[in-house]
């Protein structure tokens, strides 16, 4: 699940010497509102259609334009989750991928990253999501899964993140293969686990927006 495995080769980079009107033409052709700018193998930032419309000068060179999110980059060997995290932090729908020498390799779109990540962590499978809070020293996926399995359910996937409400704890997000979570919650609580949130899904995901919503709920970001 390395970031460079999901580079979108259909998205071309612009150069400083290119004109703004070329950027807009490419955006219309490939149906995007954002393109990367690369100069001599170095990623310089993104240009968007909004920037172009504000400039209102199609003959201006890219070098004369203030670009967006020059730090929106991920190294090639990072997990695809890092693409989603950086994209979310910068509020940009693409992330530039760099090699070990920090040279530009291409971009991964937020949409492609969501597709890859949801396919991997079983977000599309029917079931429910439980979010637990605990100290890192108390975390054992084996023990948690054993409790869940005692209720004839299985942990399809899990995700660990920092607990923003308590720096000393972590949040453990679990995707369970059952939609009814009441008995599983009660059993986990009986074993001393603190459940801070849950989501009960009614079926598979039917649209891209639903997939994004379920992914964000799973990651809790």
């Amino acid at each position: 699940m390395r970031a460079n495995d999901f580079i979108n080769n259909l998205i071309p980079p612009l150069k400083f010497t290119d004109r703004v009107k070329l950027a807009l033409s490419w955006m219309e052709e490939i149906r995007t509102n954002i393109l990367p700018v690369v100069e001599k193998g170095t990623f310089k930032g993104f240009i968007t259609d909004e920037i172009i419309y504000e400039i209102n000068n199609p003959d201006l060179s890219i070098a004369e334009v203030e670009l967006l999110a020059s730090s929106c980059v991920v190294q090639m060997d990072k997990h695809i989750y890092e693409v989603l995290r950086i994209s979310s932090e910068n509020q940009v729908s693409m992330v530039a991928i760099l090699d070990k020498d920090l040279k530009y390799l291409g971009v991964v779109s937020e949409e492609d990253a969501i597709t890859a990540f949801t396919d991997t962590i079983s977000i599309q499978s029917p079931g429910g999501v439980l979010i637990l809070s605990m100290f890192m020293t108390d975390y054992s996926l084996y023990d948690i899964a054993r409790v869940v399995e005692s209720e004839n359910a299985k942990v399809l996937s899990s995700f660990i993140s920092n607990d923003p409400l308590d720096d000393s704890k972590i949040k453990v997000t679990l995707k369970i293969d059952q939609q009814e979570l009441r008995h599983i919650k009660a059993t986990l609580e009986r074993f001393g686990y603190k459940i801070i949130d849950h989501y009960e899904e009614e079926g598979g995901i039917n649209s891209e927006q639903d997939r994004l919503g379920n992914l964000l709920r799973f990651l809790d970001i």
Side-chain angles (χ1 to χ4, degrees):
M1 291 295 291
R2 298 193 313 172
N4 66 304
D5 293 333
F6 301 95
I7 288 175
N8 191 326
N9 294 312
L10 298 178
I11 300 174
L14 293 156
K15 306 186 298 294
F16 275 166
T17 54
D18 290 329
R19 300 291 174 182
V20 167
K21 60 184 177 184
L22 176 64
L24 193 58
S25 174
W26 283 2
M27 287 178 189
E28 292 173 350
E29 183 176 344
I30 62 178
R31 297 181 180 180
T32 184
N33 63 355
I34 182 171
L35 285 172
V37 178
V38 178
E39 188 67 19
K40 297 180 180 178
T42 300
F43 174 70
K44 295 297 184 180
F46 291 103
I47 185 170
T48 66
D49 59 354
E50 184 177 353
I51 292 173
I52 293 172
Y53 293 137
E54 286 181 358
I55 292 171
N56 196 27
N57 185 348
D59 292 319
L60 210 62
S61 70
I62 301 296
E64 299 173 272
V65 176
E66 185 175 349
L67 301 176
L68 182 70
S70 60
S71 62
C72 191
V73 299
V74 168
Q75 291 201 344
M76 59 182 288
D77 58 348
K78 295 296 184 181
H79 193 274
I80 192 65
Y81 169 69
E82 195 69 5
V83 172
L84 286 171
R85 186 182 69 82
I86 295 297
S87 174
S88 177
E89 286 182 356
N90 287 271
Q91 297 185 324
V92 176
S93 61
M94 286 183 190
V95 175
I97 308 301
L98 310 182
D99 67 13
K100 61 181 180 179
D101 298 317
L102 304 183
K103 293 298 184 182
Y104 175 84
L105 294 176
V107 293
V108 175
S109 71
E110 185 180 57
E111 182 179 349
D112 290 339
I114 288 170
T115 298
F117 203 69
T118 53
D119 287 348
T120 300
I121 60 177
S122 305
I123 289 295
Q124 297 185 80
S125 302
V129 174
L130 288 171
I131 302 177
L132 287 62
S133 176
M134 67 184 67
F135 293 107
M136 187 65 186
T137 52
D138 295 331
Y139 171 71
S140 168
L141 183 57
Y142 172 79
D143 290 339
I144 295 171
R146 188 172 58 179
V147 175
V148 171
E149 289 171 5
S150 72
E151 292 293 333
N152 298 315
K154 291 186 180 299
V155 176
L156 296 176
S157 53
S158 64
F159 182 80
I160 297 176
S161 59
N162 294 326
D163 189 339
L165 302 179
D166 189 339
D167 292 339
S168 65
K169 293 184 178 181
I170 59 170
K171 289 193 303 184
V172 180
T173 305
L174 306 171
K175 178 64 182 285
I176 309 297
D177 69 345
Q178 290 190 12
Q179 297 169 16
E180 170 56 60
L181 300 175
R182 181 178 53 180
H183 296 299
I184 299 171
K185 285 174 57 184
T187 302
L188 284 167
E189 288 171 341
R190 190 167 68 248
F191 277 85
Y193 292 102
K194 180 182 179 181
I195 298 173
I196 58 175
D197 211 345
H198 72 282
Y199 304 96
E200 296 180 353
E201 302 168 3
E202 296 182 356
I205 299 170
N206 299 316
S207 71
E208 194 68 32
Q209 187 62 38
D210 289 335
R211 296 173 71 196
L212 175 57
N214 278 272
L215 175 62
L216 296 180
R217 285 196 293 273
F218 182 83
L219 299 179
D220 201 30
I221 58 176

